[in-house]
Amino acid sequence: MDITDESHRELLNDADSAAQMGTRLTHRLLTFARQSQLEPEVLNVNDHALGAMELLGSTIGETITLSANLAPDLWRIRADSSEIENAVVNLAINARDAMPEGGKIQVDTKNVSFSENDIEDDFGVPPGDYVNLSVSDNGSGMTDDVKSRVFEPFFTTKESGKGTGLGLASIHGFVYQSGGHVRIYSEVGHGTVINLYLPRHLETRTPQETAQPTRIESTNGDARILVVEDNDMVRKVTVKRLRALGFNPEQVSNGTEAVNFLEIDAGIDLILSDIVMGGGLSGYDVARWVQSNLPQCKVLLTSGFSEQMAEDSDVQTAKLKVLPKPYNLVELQQAISSIIENKTADA
Ligand SMILES: Nc1ncnc2c1ncn2[C@@H]1O[C@H](COP(=O)(O)OP(=O)(O)O)[C@@H](O)[C@H]1O
Ligand SMILES: [Mg+2]
């Protein structure tokens, strides 16, 4: 596909307002996409994520900070490079539109592996090695209703002339064509993370480099764990995974229930809690309550937002551990044992 840096810049210069930029760029890129077949090549997503961020630069608005956290050892993928840039530009424009008062856009890349054990994780990505490209914002977030429709072509919540409803539909199309998956994590009033999982391109590797299957051992099964999570499906899966690790967890569906539970049963060793929850108390609030009322009890928070997107310094000040979602069974086990081992070291 013949989209040079020059024609990209021209596209951006053409736009006479930031709002029009998204619409025009989407139109132009879709036109390109219709005219030419995808031209997949083996590439490093970081190069093209950075390229897109350079293009976005000052056009994204003064009240918005754009930052990146790109894994240095990123696996390579096979894809059309202009599709990657197009995706980052479109996702960043969506993020900007969700933050009329300004905010933060964070572009992340990392390697992720989902094993057979993770088939039923809350993200439902099939097993495999992927490059995870994500664009996060701390804007309006999406309701479940909007979230369920965003991949529909022409679905937009923007006023006419501002949205085409084609951004996420075309990103979805490209990612699926590349054998990947798109997953959305969003909390109304807090923000959105759009995760693209692009399959790792397998180069000829020496046997040592092949990923070793990780053995899961259930050694800490006697610790009592309380799961605090307001999403029923995620809570069920979490409980199931903890059982697979040999624990027999208790569960509640929000922070208030957690505190009520702990006031009656103080024998919990570890609380595994979501951060953003309905019902009044956040994971931070639960952690603070636990720190002052049950100091021997440990807290492990989980969140779909990366640490860089944390809205306050709660994590740092309270020295709380956060396990980023989605996590696999091995990561869950490692996070739990590191906390439980810490406990023994402190005692
Ligand atoms: N980062 C985001 N935060 C909140 N809502 C979003 C975000 N990204 C997409 N959306 C929602 O998804 C809809 C569809 O997005 P998209 O396909 O890019 O079309 P458009 O941007 O033209 O509306 C948007 O209208 C908006 O409601
Ligand atoms: Mg859009």
Side-chain angles (χ1 to χ4, degrees):
M1 186 183 282
D2 182 30
I3 302 181
T4 60
D5 273 7
E6 269 316 302
S7 66
H8 253 133
R9 283 207 179 84
E10 199 188 299
L11 283 177
L12 296 183
N13 293 337
D14 274 355
D16 45 19
S17 81
Q20 279 175 339
M21 188 188 79
T23 316
R24 289 196 185 183
L25 195 55
T26 311
H27 272 305
R28 293 278 294 266
L29 288 166
L30 278 165
T31 313
F32 276 118
R34 271 194 297 271
Q35 282 167 356
S36 49
Q37 291 297 315
L38 293 186
E39 275 175 24
E41 53 180 314
V42 176
L43 55 82
N44 187 325
V45 169
N46 286 346
D47 299 339
H48 303 284
L50 277 176
M53 288 178 73
E54 258 172 52
L55 288 168
L56 286 161
S58 52
T59 3
I60 205 75
E62 278 170 12
T63 53
I64 288 176
T65 38
L66 184 62
S67 48
N69 189 9
L70 308 177
D73 57 345
L74 201 65
W75 292 327
R76 304 213 292 168
I77 65 156
R78 205 173 130 76
D80 182 300
S81 61
S82 63
E83 293 283 352
I84 303 283
E85 292 181 9
N86 177 17
V88 174
V89 168
N90 266 295
L91 292 175
I93 289 169
N94 280 348
R96 180 208 61 194
D97 291 347
M99 302 188 291
E101 315 281 278
K104 193 172 169 186
I105 301 177
Q106 168 92 23
V107 179
D108 290 327
T109 60
K110 60 176 187 290
N111 297 329
V112 294
S113 294
F114 297 111
S115 70
E116 293 294 335
N117 293 319
D118 301 309
I119 292 176
E120 290 188 85
D121 82 352
D122 45 320
F123 273 58
V125 176
D129 288 347
Y130 301 89
V131 166
N132 175 202
L133 167 65
S134 69
V135 177
S136 313
D137 65 65
N138 50 14
S140 61
M142 299 178 203
T143 60
D144 286 344
D145 185 45
V146 167
K147 201 163 105 178
S148 69
R149 298 194 58 195
V150 290
F151 297 131
E152 286 174 23
F154 307 111
F155 174 79
T156 181
T157 58
K158 297 170 191 175
E159 59 188 81
S160 92
K162 288 213 168 147
T164 59
L166 289 171
L168 286 171
S170 60
I171 291 170
H172 190 256
F174 139 69
V175 172
Y176 275 74
Q177 243 180 303
S178 312
H181 305 271
V182 183
R183 292 293 181 271
I184 297 178
Y185 175 82
S186 188
E187 302 275 2
V188 173
H190 291 269
T192 300
V193 184
I194 310 282
N195 281 293
L196 311 188
Y197 295 96
L198 298 154
R200 173 186 190 176
H201 175 73
L202 289 176
E203 280 135 312
T204 327
R205 291 179 300 172
T206 58
Q208 303 94 282
E209 280 174 310
T210 319
Q212 294 295 313
T214 319
R215 251 165 56 83
I216 314 263
E217 290 163 44
S218 46
T219 44
N220 302 312
D222 51 345
R224 288 190 66 216
I225 300 182
L226 175 66
V227 176
V228 189
E229 167 66 65
D230 61 344
N231 180 307
D232 290 348
M233 210 259 279
V234 176
R235 193 177 59 251
K236 261 184 214 148
V237 170
T238 308
V239 165
K240 212 168 166 183
R241 292 167 129 197
L242 287 169
R243 288 197 181 124
L245 291 174
F247 297 102
N248 187 18
E250 308 285 349
Q251 49 180 307
V252 291
S253 57
N254 62 44
T256 313
E257 283 181 21
V259 169
N260 292 342
F261 184 102
L262 293 165
E263 274 173 337
I264 296 164
D265 183 346
I268 294 289
D269 301 297
L270 173 70
I271 290 162
L272 179 62
S273 176
D274 188 20
I275 294 182
V276 181
M277 290 180 290
L281 296 186
S282 72
Y284 295 134
D285 297 326
V286 173
R288 270 189 290 265
W289 187 91
V290 167
Q291 280 173 338
S292 44
N293 293 282
L294 295 172
Q296 82 289 352
C297 177
K298 301 284 166 174
V299 179
L300 174 60
L301 299 174
T302 63
S303 175
F305 296 114
S306 67
E307 229 171 285
Q308 286 85 356
M309 290 299 290
E311 277 161 45
D312 43 41
S313 53
D314 273 315
V315 179
Q316 284 85 343
T317 49
K319 293 207 182 75
L320 291 168
K321 288 218 163 81
V322 179
L323 176 63
K325 287 180 191 172
Y327 49 80
N328 61 34
L329 202 55
V330 175
E331 287 159 342
L332 177 62
Q333 188 205 28
Q334 282 166 352
I336 291 175
S337 21
S338 96
I339 282 199
I340 290 177
E341 273 152 33
N342 240 332
K343 177 186 167 178
T344 347
D346 289 352

